[in-house]
Amino acid sequence: MNILFIGDIFASAGRSIVAEHLPDLLSEHKIDLAIANAENSAGGFGITPLIAEELLALGLHVLTGGNHSFDKREIYDHFSRQPRLLRPANYPDGLPGSGIFTGETAAGVPYAVVNLQGRAMMANIDCPFRKADAILSSLDPTIKVRFVDFHAELTSEKMAMGWHLDGRVSAMLGTHTHIPTADTRILAGGMAYQTDAGMTGPYESVIGVDKDIILRRFLTGLPARMEASKTGVELHGAVVEVDEQTGRATRIRRICAVR
Ligand SMILES: [Fe+2]
Ligand SMILES: [Fe+2]
């Protein structure tokens, strides 16, 4: 089976390029499971219930999140209404939402999607490595197809998580930096890996934000209101082919679409 993953959808520019290209990507790559990180889909900061539902209605099956998952207050109640909308699993117990979704593809193949967040140069939440162990040991062993979005800053933490999950997960793709990395590969235990899938949004920017605003901040040190850029829009992600009998990945390819 084939899994499509789309990296951090940033603001309206990111949402519109997903709407434009998703139908072709789904048919061209014979996608059975389509996942996207949507933590920045609302103006670059968070996600709203309406945007979550619009993205799912386009044909995405699961939306993952990250450090921006809780930016918009109105999303809190929506987590319990929409189990396909995830936020990182290793936030403190008791917060709205979940970091795991289990479902079946249209062809009846069971799968699990897990969302975790790193701690290096990020919020000091629960250990993602231990949380991954707990989640994987509680998963129904008949669910062979397992996808992890690891939302983290450092390449080293992501690579370490890759080795930690290898052999237990079909694919781990990184998100958060908004910079796609050229290291798609299949690790020794059969897990497809990429340090960062990259952003789906405006690349004429600094990780999605208007470049002039960010440059002014670096040059003056003064605070400035962030605004999403609208130019240089690209879609980035990867397609992973998984043997659904074993859960092992057989192929991973980076994908990119431009307007
Ligand atoms: Fe992001
Ligand atoms: Fe992030």
Side-chain angles (χ1 to χ4, degrees):
M1 64 174 279
N2 293 309
I3 303 173
L4 169 68
F5 182 72
I6 294 175
D8 301 43
I9 300 171
F10 197 95
S12 57
R15 301 198 313 269
S16 65
I17 197 168
V18 171
E20 211 172 295
H21 289 279
L22 188 63
D24 285 349
L25 289 171
L26 294 177
S27 61
E28 185 187 328
H29 298 283
K30 299 186 173 57
I31 298 300
D32 301 288
L33 171 59
I35 307 160
N37 184 298
E39 67 148 3
N40 307 112
S41 54
F45 300 92
I47 182 166
T48 65
L50 183 64
I51 288 173
E53 294 310 309
E54 281 176 0
L55 289 172
L56 291 167
L58 291 176
L60 293 166
H61 301 105
V62 183
L63 302 174
T64 54
N67 54 307
H68 288 292
S69 283
F70 296 107
D71 282 2
K72 300 271 189 268
R73 187 67 185 81
E74 62 265 40
I75 201 66
Y76 290 23
D77 288 343
H78 199 60
F79 281 116
S80 58
R81 290 192 292 264
Q82 183 46 271
R84 292 172 184 271
L85 173 66
L86 302 183
R87 47 78 168 171
N90 52 322
Y91 269 74
D93 286 346
L95 291 189
S98 163
I100 177 162
F101 176 77
T102 55
E104 275 189 10
T105 66
V109 178
Y111 65 84
V113 179
V114 177
N115 191 188
L116 293 161
Q117 184 171 308
R119 294 196 293 187
M121 298 184 75
M122 296 188 86
N124 190 21
I125 52 177
D126 295 344
C127 175
F129 294 86
R130 304 280 178 188
K131 190 70 181 183
D133 291 343
I135 289 172
L136 293 176
S137 63
S138 69
L139 259 191
D140 179 344
T142 63
I143 302 177
K144 300 291 185 197
V145 178
R146 301 165 172 197
F147 181 94
V148 174
D149 170 357
F150 185 41
H151 196 79
E153 183 76 39
L154 294 195
T155 51
S156 53
E157 191 180 17
K158 285 155 137 170
M159 189 74 254
M161 181 62 87
W163 291 118
H164 187 61
L165 299 177
D166 185 29
R168 298 189 285 167
V169 162
S170 312
M172 182 210 113
L173 273 76
T175 54
H176 177 67
T177 69
H178 295 191
I179 308 289
T181 58
D183 61 342
T184 43
R185 60 205 177 102
I186 296 178
L187 303 186
M191 185 188 79
Y193 174 87
Q194 184 183 10
T195 297
D196 204 296
M199 173 181 66
T200 293
Y203 275 74
E204 197 172 308
S205 69
V206 176
I207 63 170
V209 176
D210 182 300
K211 64 185 191 309
D212 296 324
I213 295 173
I214 299 295
L215 269 174
R216 214 178 305 128
R217 278 225 313 192
F218 276 112
L219 289 166
T220 65
L222 295 173
R225 195 183 143 79
M226 304 284 203
E227 271 173 49
S229 166
K230 289 187 169 15
T231 48
V233 186
E234 297 178 14
L235 180 153
H236 285 264
V239 172
V240 182
E241 191 183 277
V242 177
D243 177 339
E244 62 227 45
Q245 304 301 325
T246 62
R248 292 170 74 100
T250 47
R251 193 178 185 198
I252 176 167
R253 285 164 288 169
R254 282 194 284 149
I255 53 150
C256 171
V258 293
R259 179 143 291 153

